[in-house]
Amino acid sequence: MTTLDMPTTKPITRPKSRFTLKTEAERFALVGAWLLLIMIFGTLMPDSFLSWRSFSTLFGSQAVLVVLTLAIIIPLTSGDFDLSGASTLTMSSMLIAVLNVKLGWPIVPVMLIALASGLIIGAVNAFFVLYFRIHSLIVTLGVGTFVNGLILWVSNSQTISGVSMGLVQWVIINRFLGIPLAFFYALILAGVIWYALEFTIPGRKLLFVGRGREVSRLNGIDVDRVRATSFVLSGLISAFAGMLYAGMTGSADPLSGLNLLLPAFAAAFLGATTISPGRFNAFGAVISVYFLVTGITGLTMLGADAYVQNLFYGGALVIAVSLSQLVRNRQPQDFS
């Protein structure tokens, strides 16, 4: 047999593994930074900062911020902003306080009404954005401001306390491993959103629309329906955050919930740089919230002034957006 008659064999090549040190370092860099932050503050304040009581308080008290961040990443994933999330949260908590405390309604139907208010606000956002083709930034800012006026009207600009202990008990009093149940509600919600985006057709459509609306439309996806659904879900989850807020404080304040909007957006964009770099993701958002809050808590325990919180969150938002753009190779994001 000559060399021409010899059967030729192609060299066996192994498929390239998606696991590389660089990609994994990008995915978990923020987790490492969070652990480093804990080590630094733990070294400076070993008795107070490293106690389990301190961590359980940290995890439980920030559940409301986690849920609000999870709410706004849904429209962000589809390429839209929802600046009315904090207003929806405050409206939900205020409805619970007014109906339960002032009017004496049972807590369960009041909670359902509060959640329904979130659905309505989300539907209003979707209507004006999609029917009139107005930028989501303008619509949600206007709707949020309108809702703030309604909150001041129904509350008479006063804090209302005395929310049913049944709600308070199932939000913050009852604990698992010493951590309030509110934290685990937020974790479960993050798991549901992660599963939906990774393994369900509606979730993949949401991601696809966020990557390119015209391409999605040409592929037969009802882009307007996907975007409308994202606004409605954002409103619903924001209202759920308001329910947790009312249960955590036992009251409703017409203004305090509004302070959560900037931290939520900072965490959302910072979360886009971790776990699944380059896109908004649920567990990245959760980690980002606790990274930011750990920094604020540590600085506060060291005696930092109150203005440091604004400096930290404002700087974190700008840095987070910049980092998320670097992860995307500075590709412009379509928020039109």
Side-chain angles (χ1 to χ4, degrees):
M1 183 181 294
T2 64
T3 54
L4 294 176
D5 297 326
M6 292 290 291
T8 58
T9 58
K10 295 182 180 179
I12 299 175
T13 59
R14 294 182 180 178
K16 291 184 179 179
S17 174
R18 297 179 64 183
F19 179 90
T20 65
L21 186 60
K22 181 178 181 296
T23 56
E24 295 307 305
E26 288 178 355
R27 290 185 62 202
F28 297 103
L30 187 63
V31 178
W34 183 25
L35 294 176
L36 179 62
L37 205 59
I38 292 173
M39 290 173 60
I40 292 172
F41 288 130
T43 303
L44 297 173
M45 303 170 289
D47 295 330
S48 56
F49 189 81
L50 290 181
S51 66
W52 180 245
R53 182 178 181 180
S54 175
F55 280 104
S56 64
T57 302
L58 178 73
F59 289 144
S61 63
Q62 300 304 317
V64 173
L65 179 56
V66 171
V67 174
L68 179 61
T69 305
L70 292 172
I72 65 174
I73 68 171
I74 296 178
L76 281 174
T77 300
S78 67
D80 287 300
F81 286 96
D82 185 0
L83 299 184
S84 65
S87 302
T88 305
L89 179 157
T90 309
M91 173 59 85
S92 171
S93 64
M94 187 56 69
L95 282 174
I96 290 174
V98 170
L99 296 177
N100 179 244
V101 178
K102 287 196 168 184
L103 300 182
W105 289 19
I107 191 62
V108 174
V110 166
M111 289 164 56
L112 295 176
I113 292 172
L115 293 176
S117 71
L119 291 173
I120 293 171
I121 294 171
V124 170
N125 284 332
F127 173 74
F128 281 100
V129 170
L130 300 174
Y131 184 80
F132 293 100
R133 300 299 172 185
I134 308 173
H135 198 290
S136 59
L137 199 68
I138 299 171
V139 170
T140 57
L141 179 61
V143 170
T145 305
F146 179 83
V147 172
N148 293 342
L150 289 178
I151 294 167
L152 293 172
W153 176 45
V154 300
S155 66
N156 200 23
S157 302
Q158 296 178 345
T159 299
I160 301 174
S161 57
V163 171
S164 171
M165 284 302 296
L167 178 60
V168 176
Q169 185 173 359
W170 282 100
V171 171
I172 195 169
I173 295 179
N174 290 345
R175 296 176 177 241
F176 178 69
L177 301 176
I179 304 174
L181 292 181
F183 170 72
F184 298 100
Y185 300 151
L187 275 189
I188 292 171
L189 178 61
V192 170
I193 294 174
W194 168 79
Y195 180 85
L197 292 177
E198 294 292 335
F199 300 107
T200 67
I201 294 175
R204 303 309 291 182
K205 286 182 178 180
L206 187 70
L207 289 169
F208 201 32
V209 169
R211 294 291 176 89
R213 291 174 188 165
E214 192 57 37
V215 175
S216 301
R217 190 174 287 108
L218 293 174
N219 279 274
I221 296 176
D222 191 338
V223 173
D224 285 352
R225 176 177 292 182
V226 171
R227 294 175 66 193
T229 302
S230 73
F231 280 117
V232 172
L233 287 177
S234 178
L236 176 63
I237 297 172
S238 296
F240 176 63
M243 196 168 68
L244 293 181
Y245 182 88
M248 192 163 292
T249 61
S251 63
D253 187 300
L255 297 174
S256 62
L258 304 180
N259 296 327
L260 298 175
L261 185 63
L262 178 61
F265 270 96
F269 277 94
L270 189 59
T273 67
T274 187
I275 308 300
S276 298
R279 66 179 176 88
F280 300 100
N281 64 93
F283 288 117
V286 173
I287 293 168
S288 299
V289 166
Y290 287 110
F291 169 77
L292 293 171
V293 171
T294 299
I296 291 292
T297 303
L299 291 172
T300 302
M301 293 175 71
L302 286 174
D305 293 325
Y307 64 80
V308 171
Q309 180 167 333
N310 289 338
L311 293 176
F312 197 89
Y313 280 133
L317 177 58
V318 175
I319 294 172
V321 174
S322 302
L323 289 175
S324 67
Q325 283 298 93
L326 288 177
V327 171
R328 292 168 53 91
N329 295 322
R330 294 185 294 177
Q331 296 176 1
Q333 292 177 276
D334 184 10
F335 288 110
S336 59

